[in-house]
Amino acid sequence: MVRPAELSEGLGSEAARARLDPYRFVAAAVLVQLARHHDLRGLYGVTSWTSLGLHCTATIDHKDRTQEGEAKALLTLALHHQPDNLPAQLALERLLHRKATTDEELRSFGDWLRTFIGRLEDRGLGATPLALRAHYLLVTSIINRTFGTCPGQDLGLGVAVTTFGKAVGKARAQPQAANDEVTAFIDQMDAKVAWVSDAYLGSGPRVLDESTPAAAYSSACYVASREEMDTHEAVRLLRGADRHPEYADWRAKDPQLARLRAQGAYRTAFLDAARDSVVDLPIFRPHRERLSGLGFTTTTDVDRFRGREPDLARLLGADPAEARRLTDAAALAVSAHEALQPHAVEVVHELVEKGVLDSSAARAAVRTHADAVAASIVMVLTDRLAVVPDDLRTKLGAWLRGI
């Protein structure tokens, strides 16, 4: 009998384990058995049904960015059960590094992706959807370096895009491409090749798309990356992207927009006052309506439940583990308030983005690299806030060493 809750020791909370769908694990077990007798290339050599079930749960049920911590835990557990689960490896690396802002991390992520793509090629998997995803992630990491952290340097973008395009063409020629779902995915990747070629390699005119926040954001990045940047057009497109909170948060950190953020038009349009309540942060977004109904509008309101997370969970209709993340965020803000006021909440937001609430190891890493973390946070706040004091970096580094 499949009991995924019993097979997920280390996931973090009993409630999180109980949310695992047993039928998904049954399906995973069936697929693994079928793969032993048939060439199911879509499993990429996965032989552990537990690992497969955990990976599917992480990628299907945890798409909201507020659930990224649990998704990382699920993927880590999937790799514990089968370290060479290739789809889980790529999914975890993407979650860990898709929003890298430093050249060191972007370069390291790119190197990992090149190695990963090479391993897929060695196994005859170079024309599969997994390989196409890896190629696209590699291209985006090079774009962020080329137009963000290493402007003006030739980092091999043209070669990466050409290789990506060849992989898409090879995938289209495979027998499995006749499958409607696979064909749709290949078409999507083909469109990405065309977009990157047009936008960044100058192979043709680019018609900007602003039909959705994601399209508007991509178009803003294209405009901002042109040698003759139209600042006002990029700002206009970013305003459209801001309809989705994730893009409003990311534009202050995106390496590709670094040159735009230095322009007066951007700073006039987007510089804000520091948020003063953790309730305003994205981590609280799924619970905002319930919090408002309960009259919880300040950091102190949430911090009152420190040590009483089951009570907060019942009030919010949430998992106790999620309630603990909320009180941990509030406690960090209270701790930071005296030293960093009025920037405590903004600092907590950046630490949450860096995964400090996900594990004790993540918090220890922040303490160890306090000065570097402080520098990266101050850089983001400088691009987002109207006023950032000169001594914030020093104060922040000292505080981070003690969290």
Side-chain angles (χ1 to χ4, degrees), residues 71-93:
K72 291 174 187 174
L74 287 164
L75 290 168
T76 300
L77 197 56
L79 292 172
H80 170 75
H81 285 281
Q82 183 172 349
D84 64 347
N85 180 335
L86 296 173
Q89 287 179 8
L90 184 62
L92 181 58
E93 289 294 323

Side-chain angles (χ1 to χ4, degrees), residues 378-400:
V378 170
M379 184 183 302
V380 171
L381 298 189
T382 300
D383 285 335
R384 205 190 79 74
L385 303 180
V387 179
V388 176
D390 293 337
D391 62 351
L392 179 60
R393 179 172 169 177
T394 301
K395 290 181 176 179
L396 178 54
W399 177 75
L400 288 175

Side-chain angles (χ1 to χ4, degrees), residues 143-144 146-148 157 195 199-200 217-230 234 254-260:
I143 287 173
N144 278 338
T146 301
F147 296 96
L157 179 58
W195 163 264
Y200 302 111
Y217 190 86
S218 293
S219 294
C221 288
Y222 159 64
V223 172
S225 300
R226 291 175 63 92
E227 186 174 350
E228 295 182 4
M229 177 173 54
D230 185 339
D254 191 341
Q256 199 174 346
L257 298 180
R259 190 162 62 104
L260 174 65

Side-chain angles (χ1 to χ4, degrees), residues 1-52:
M1 184 175 181
V2 175
R3 294 187 178 91
E6 296 176 4
L7 297 167
S8 54
E9 298 273 337
L11 182 54
S13 77
E14 183 178 346
R17 292 193 293 274
R19 282 203 300 273
L20 299 181
D21 181 354
Y23 294 104
R24 184 163 290 147
F25 285 78
V26 171
V30 171
L31 282 172
V32 167
Q33 287 298 322
L34 287 171
R36 291 178 179 175
H37 304 285
H38 304 279
D39 183 19
L40 298 185
R41 291 167 61 83
L43 290 190
Y44 300 98
V46 177
T47 57
S48 165
W49 60 266
T50 309
S51 183
L52 178 61

Side-chain angles (χ1 to χ4, degrees), residues 239-262:
R239 286 191 184 282
D242 274 5
R243 287 175 287 161
H244 194 296
E246 181 171 0
Y247 296 111
D249 284 324
W250 176 233
R251 60 171 159 73
K253 309 167 200 172
D254 191 341
Q256 199 174 346
L257 298 180
R259 190 162 62 104
L260 174 65
R261 290 194 296 268

Side-chain angles (χ1 to χ4, degrees), residues 57-72 94-95 98-99 244-246 281-287 322 325 353:
T57 300
T59 54
I60 294 173
D61 293 345
H62 295 77
K63 291 185 180 297
D64 190 288
R65 66 198 296 266
T66 62
Q67 299 173 313
E68 283 188 1
E70 191 165 308
K72 291 174 187 174
R94 176 184 174 276
L95 270 182
R98 71 189 180 94
K99 289 193 172 180
H244 194 296
E246 181 171 0
L281 298 182
I283 188 177
F284 284 84
R285 192 170 293 125
H287 312 287
E322 175 67 4
R325 283 173 60 83
E353 290 278 288

